[in-house]
Each structure stands twice: as C-alpha cells, then as structure tokens.
Amino acid sequence: MQVNENKNGDVVVLSVTGRLDSNTSPDFEERLLGRIRDGERKLVLDFGELEYISSAGLRVLLKATREVKAQNGKLVICGARDYIQEVFDLSGFTTVFALAPDLGGAVGQF
C-alpha cells in the first residue's frame, strides 16, 4: 500500500494505492489518525487506486470517521471502484461514511 498526501486548500487528501488489509491497516491507521490528532478536520480519502479493502481496513475507516466527527470535522471517501463500493454497500457503511464519486465532489462537500 502506498499513501500520497496533498492539500487542496484546507482539505487534506490522502490517495491510497494498493491493498488496505490486516498487513497494511496499522500503518494507514497511524497516518490517518495522526493527521486528525494533528488538528486536520477536513479529510478526503481518494480510493481511486485502492485494489482491496478488508475488515481491518473498514475498522480503520470507522475509527477515523468517529474520531474526526468527535473533533467537529468530516472525512469523505471518493473514487471507490465498483467492487469497493459494493463492500461499503454490503457492510452498511454507506450510511456511516460520506462518499463522493470523484475528488472534486469530495472537496465540494466541505
């Protein structure tokens, strides 16, 4: 897994490439929660190049969403491929996560 970080105004964009599974989720969790704990309140996760997400990855997203909401912030996921979107649908997480079809739509939610 590779994570590239950019700023779009005051929005932090983390672009995730590869697999988010039990092997990679601890590093991703540390990085994502670290940004929230550093004071970032507007975050976008660009999953356009994410190939796979496991329950460990979903747990990280749920934890980060709860933490950023507790700080009066927001996390938006964008660009998820159809089969990743299906995981969100089947797990019921589409009601938990803010989703957008692309980066422009995600940044526009702030």
Side-chain angles (χ1 to χ4, degrees):
M1 180 192 69
Q2 182 176 355
V3 179
N4 293 318
E5 183 173 331
N6 294 299
K7 284 276 250 190
N8 188 331
D10 60 349
V11 179
V12 174
V13 179
L14 298 174
S15 301
V16 183
T17 302
R19 298 173 58 91
L20 185 52
D21 56 23
S22 60
N23 291 324
T24 59
S25 62
D27 289 340
F28 183 65
E29 178 178 357
E30 182 178 329
R31 185 163 185 173
L32 180 56
L33 295 182
R35 301 305 291 142
I36 295 167
R37 291 174 183 151
D38 287 344
E40 299 294 347
R41 299 291 175 263
K42 298 177 181 178
L43 296 120
V44 170
L45 299 178
D46 184 350
F47 280 176
E49 298 299 322
L50 183 67
E51 297 170 0
Y52 172 81
I53 187 166
S54 72
S55 59
L58 291 173
R59 184 191 64 76
V60 172
L61 298 179
L62 187 58
K63 188 173 181 179
T65 297
R66 288 182 178 159
E67 193 158 322
V68 78
K69 281 184 178 178
Q71 305 290 329
N72 295 317
K74 186 174 184 178
L75 185 149
V76 181
I77 297 169
C78 72
R81 296 177 180 182
D82 290 345
Y83 54 90
I84 300 290
Q85 180 69 42
E86 189 174 323
V87 170
F88 292 153
D89 291 338
L90 292 172
S91 64
F93 282 4
T94 51
T95 60
V96 177
F97 302 139
L99 301 169
D102 54 37
L103 182 58
V107 173
Q109 291 193 27
F110 294 100

